[in-house]
Amino acid sequence: MIVERLTFKAQYGQGDALAALFKEFMETHGKALGVTSGRMYTDVTGPMFTLQLEMEFEDLTSYAAFMAADQQLYTTQEFQDWFGKTVSLTKSGERQILNVTTYPA
């Protein structure tokens, strides 16, 4: 399994607003992009106003298909309008692509 983890540092006091935008995006576009499972984390301790999104993919081929669909979405006015809202709320971001290995309980 492959996990894409996106970590964002929101502008001071804007963590909830940024989380709401990503929740809206995943509810609107997640299935169409091939996202079948994911999580959103917000800080309880550690750096304040931190948001992490994780999306699971069966393998790298599935992830590549997601990225291709995602890139197509970037060209739409709807995405550009949504993305424009995130820019003023976001201080920085990072992407990790992780291979998941599970162990028996």
Side-chain angles (χ1 to χ4, degrees):
M1 176 189 324
I2 300 297
V3 170
E4 178 187 49
R5 179 183 297 151
L6 302 171
T7 302
F8 297 95
K9 177 75 172 159
Q11 296 289 351
Y12 188 85
Q14 298 300 313
D16 290 343
L18 187 59
L21 281 174
F22 276 104
K23 182 178 179 190
E24 170 191 314
F25 180 83
M26 291 310 296
E27 288 172 351
T28 305
H29 298 290
K31 279 189 179 179
L33 292 172
V35 177
T36 58
S37 180
R39 290 165 292 285
M40 180 186 300
Y41 304 99
T42 55
D43 60 274
V44 174
T45 63
M48 292 172 38
F49 312 116
T50 299
L51 168 71
Q52 289 186 328
L53 302 168
E54 285 186 354
M55 294 172 281
E56 295 180 359
F57 301 92
E58 185 176 322
D59 52 29
L60 285 173
T61 302
S62 299
Y63 179 70
F66 161 77
M67 288 302 292
D70 198 36
Q71 292 298 314
Q72 285 294 323
L73 184 61
Y74 284 18
T75 65
T76 67
Q77 188 62 49
E78 179 185 12
F79 177 84
Q80 292 172 22
D81 292 344
W82 173 85
F83 186 76
K85 295 175 191 174
T86 69
V87 171
S88 64
L89 301 175
T90 306
K91 194 172 186 178
S92 64
E94 163 184 340
R95 171 179 285 144
Q96 295 175 308
I97 309 299
L98 306 165
N99 186 41
V100 177
T101 303
T102 57
Y103 298 97

